[in-house]
Amino acid sequence: MDHVNYTWTQTFLLAGFTTTGTLRPLAFLGTLCIYLLTLAGNLFIIILVKTDSGLSIPMYFFISVLSFLELWYVSTTVPTLLHTLLHGRSPIPSAACFLQLYIFHSLGMTECYLLGVMALDRYLAICRPLHYHALMSRQVQLWLAGSTWVAGFSAALVPAGLTATLPFCLQDVAHYFCDLAPLMRLACVDTSWHAQIHGAVIGVATGCNFVLIMGLYGGILTAVLKLPSAASRAKAFSTCSSHMTVVALFYASAFTVYVSSPGSRPADSDKLVALVYALLTPFLNPIIYTLRNKEVKEAVKRVSERMRAIWRKP
């Protein structure tokens, strides 16, 4: 079909959530509190890992990288969510919309790869303990962390680039940020081919990483069950429980939105599920890694004691 005959949209309108009366300020304040707590929680983990020598091991380095990623991930969408909650339907320039789309998916796919790297770290620590520090040297840690960012920002070029080239005849985005499915519903042309490409790229990235993670945890489970005592098995499982919880939250919501067909679910369901992976998961991750981790709790005590000692000095 000839794209020249279509009018290209210069500005989109983000619909956000329909809130009226007293519910609107309550929703705004609740979202703002969660956002600020998310920023504080992830910054807390980054600072704690950086300042406490007891956490200077690969696992906590990758956790701090995940927290750094979550700071940007949640900040990509929450400002537009807050704006739509406060002002209702909000305009966004098409260039800013496509930039938001690209950054959001880049960070999401980076997190997908990073969760795979974190599973590999746990596998080497439990299944190859004698060679762990040699295999996971500082140089290897930096290389793995950097590779996840390069891979994520490279893979996201395909869905974001294809969506940006579509001609759009409609403006109203049934979402609180610019995402793939809501934008494709506004196109003047058939987007089934684009949807297949998006599903293939995102599905392969998330699917392959999910299979890798499950395979690594299968190896971990086999190794742990061979340990002689129940105490050693419990300790090994405890080092993986937080990561497994984060993986479950991330992949459950990602598969719901991006692997299933956009036409197989109501349009409004996208923004509801998006609250899980774009707001709730970044909020819960610091809680999961602190409340369910004995070493982090001990590090908090050590840092607190050092801070009190500094304040007590004349």
Side-chain angles (χ1 to χ4, degrees):
M1 299 180 71
D2 187 5
H3 289 195
V4 177
N5 295 330
Y6 298 113
T7 301
W8 288 70
T9 299
Q10 299 298 318
T11 303
F12 293 103
L13 292 173
L14 297 174
F17 291 94
T18 304
T19 54
T20 56
T22 57
L23 185 61
R24 174 173 291 183
L26 289 176
F28 175 83
L29 289 174
T31 303
L32 179 61
C33 288
I34 292 175
Y35 177 51
L36 294 177
L37 288 171
T38 301
L39 296 181
N42 284 289
L43 279 172
F44 171 76
I45 288 180
I46 294 171
I47 294 171
L48 186 66
V49 172
K50 189 71 175 177
T51 56
D52 188 81
S53 59
L55 300 182
S56 58
I57 60 175
M59 180 176 75
Y60 294 107
F61 168 74
F62 291 124
I63 290 175
S64 67
V65 173
L66 177 63
S67 293
F68 178 75
L69 187 151
E70 296 285 30
L71 290 175
W72 294 100
Y73 187 63
V74 73
S75 298
T76 304
T77 60
V78 172
T80 54
L81 171 59
L82 291 171
H83 194 274
T84 56
L85 287 173
L86 196 61
H87 301 286
R89 293 168 72 247
S90 303
I92 180 172
S94 57
C97 182
F98 296 133
L99 181 62
Q100 184 185 51
L101 173 72
Y102 171 65
I103 294 176
F104 177 75
H105 280 271
S106 296
L107 294 172
M109 297 182 81
T110 299
E111 181 168 348
C112 176
Y113 293 122
L114 183 59
L115 291 174
V117 168
M118 294 170 75
L120 175 63
D121 172 69
R122 291 298 81 211
Y123 174 83
L124 293 176
I126 294 173
C127 301
R128 300 288 186 273
L130 297 179
H131 305 92
Y132 174 63
H133 292 289
L135 293 172
M136 198 58 72
S137 64
R138 187 64 177 178
Q139 185 177 1
V140 172
Q141 295 172 45
L142 294 172
W143 184 86
L144 287 172
S147 297
T148 62
W149 287 79
V150 173
F153 276 76
S154 299
L157 284 170
V158 176
L162 285 176
T163 305
T165 59
L166 287 170
F168 296 94
C169 297
L170 301 173
Q171 290 182 300
D172 292 330
V173 182
H175 213 302
Y176 64 85
F177 70 94
C178 294
D179 204 1
L180 288 173
L183 283 175
M184 289 197 297
R185 294 189 184 103
L186 310 181
C188 305
V189 296
D190 180 24
T191 60
S192 57
W193 177 80
H194 296 77
Q196 291 175 0
I197 298 298
H198 298 163
V201 173
I202 298 174
V204 167
T206 57
C208 290
N209 274 279
F210 185 73
V211 170
L212 172 65
I213 291 171
M214 291 299 100
L216 291 171
Y217 272 108
I220 291 172
L221 179 62
T222 302
V224 169
L225 291 177
K226 293 179 180 179
L227 294 176
S229 66
S232 59
R233 290 194 294 270
K235 183 178 179 180
F237 277 126
S238 67
T239 64
C240 303
S241 60
S242 298
H243 181 254
M244 291 171 67
T245 305
V246 171
V247 168
L249 285 171
F250 179 82
Y251 277 97
S253 54
F255 281 141
T256 300
V257 173
Y258 297 109
V259 178
S260 61
S261 172
S264 65
R265 58 185 183 272
D268 288 342
S269 67
D270 286 343
K271 56 187 177 183
L272 293 174
V273 178
L275 287 175
V276 176
Y277 62 82
L279 180 62
L280 184 60
T281 300
F283 169 69
L284 291 177
N285 282 356
I287 299 174
I288 293 170
Y289 280 118
T290 54
L291 294 182
R292 301 188 62 178
N293 195 304
K294 184 179 178 181
E295 291 178 337
V296 172
K297 293 178 183 178
E298 292 174 350
V300 172
K301 291 179 181 178
R302 288 193 296 268
V303 172
S304 300
E305 289 172 358
R306 289 206 302 269
M307 293 296 294
R308 283 195 295 268
I310 293 173
W311 281 107
R312 289 171 182 170
K313 286 183 179 180

